[in-house]
């Protein structure tokens, strides 16, 4: 019981030092944005065109590390694509990062595809997200060995 009293007294003392200010690990405005990726449809029949949408969530709109990033897609079918941009110089508080990345990809064969979206600065990956697309054989097609 004396330990409980000591712990309670320590909490009260700490509260007095902090005052009414809320305690948080990091302001949400300063947090690093995170990347989410979704495929629509996630399950389909071959051949199929899938819409992939990456979304940066959280963090400030001028987060420098994500400004003017190269966008790289790895489709899981042995192919990749990327986009680079010619951007104005970064200005803190003025520059805005791109938050939405969308593209369509045609999966011609049945299989399970692990799709990855990477945001890069030069050769460094600053953020990435993955999702899975499952493609079943279309009418008159057989199962491919790649389908698991």
């Amino acid at each position: 019981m004396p330990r409980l009293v000591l712990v309670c007294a320590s909490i009260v003392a700490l509260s007095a030092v902090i005052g009414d200010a809320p305690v948080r690990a990091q302001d949400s405005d300063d947090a690093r944005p995170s990347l989410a990726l979704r495929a629509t449809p996630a399950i389909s029949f071959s051949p199929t065109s899938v819409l992939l949408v990456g979304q940066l969530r959280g963090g400030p709109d001028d987060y420098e590390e994500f400004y003017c990033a190269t966008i790289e897609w790895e489709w899981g079918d042995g192919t990749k694509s990327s986009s680079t941009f010619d951007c104005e110089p970064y200005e803190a508080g003025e520059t805005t990062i791109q938050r939405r990345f969308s593209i369509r990809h045609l999966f011609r064969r049945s299989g399970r595809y692990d799709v990855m979206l990477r945001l890069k600065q030069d050769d460094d990956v600053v953020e990435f997200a993955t999702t899975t697309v499952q493609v079943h054989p279309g009418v008159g097609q057989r199962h491919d060995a790649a389908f698991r």
Side-chain angles (χ1 to χ4, degrees), residues 34-89:
S34 64
L35 184 62
L37 179 60
R38 121 179 141 256
T40 307
I43 301 172
S44 190
F45 294 92
S46 66
T48 187
S49 177
V50 176
L51 174 65
L52 291 118
V53 177
Q55 184 78 37
L56 274 175
R57 297 183 180 147
D61 286 336
D62 68 338
Y63 199 88
E64 185 174 10
E65 192 174 16
F66 293 109
Y67 177 65
C68 202
T70 295
I71 301 161
E72 183 178 272
W73 298 92
E74 188 171 328
W75 302 112
D77 60 4
T79 63
K80 291 182 182 182
S81 59
S82 65
S83 302
T84 56
F85 305 94
D86 186 22
C87 304
E88 295 294 321

Side-chain angles (χ1 to χ4, degrees), residues 37-39 42 52 74-75 113-117 129-133:
L37 179 60
R38 121 179 141 256
L52 291 118
E74 188 171 328
W75 302 112
Y113 301 98
D114 294 321
V115 178
M116 181 178 289
L117 169 58
T130 61
T131 192
T132 300
V133 175

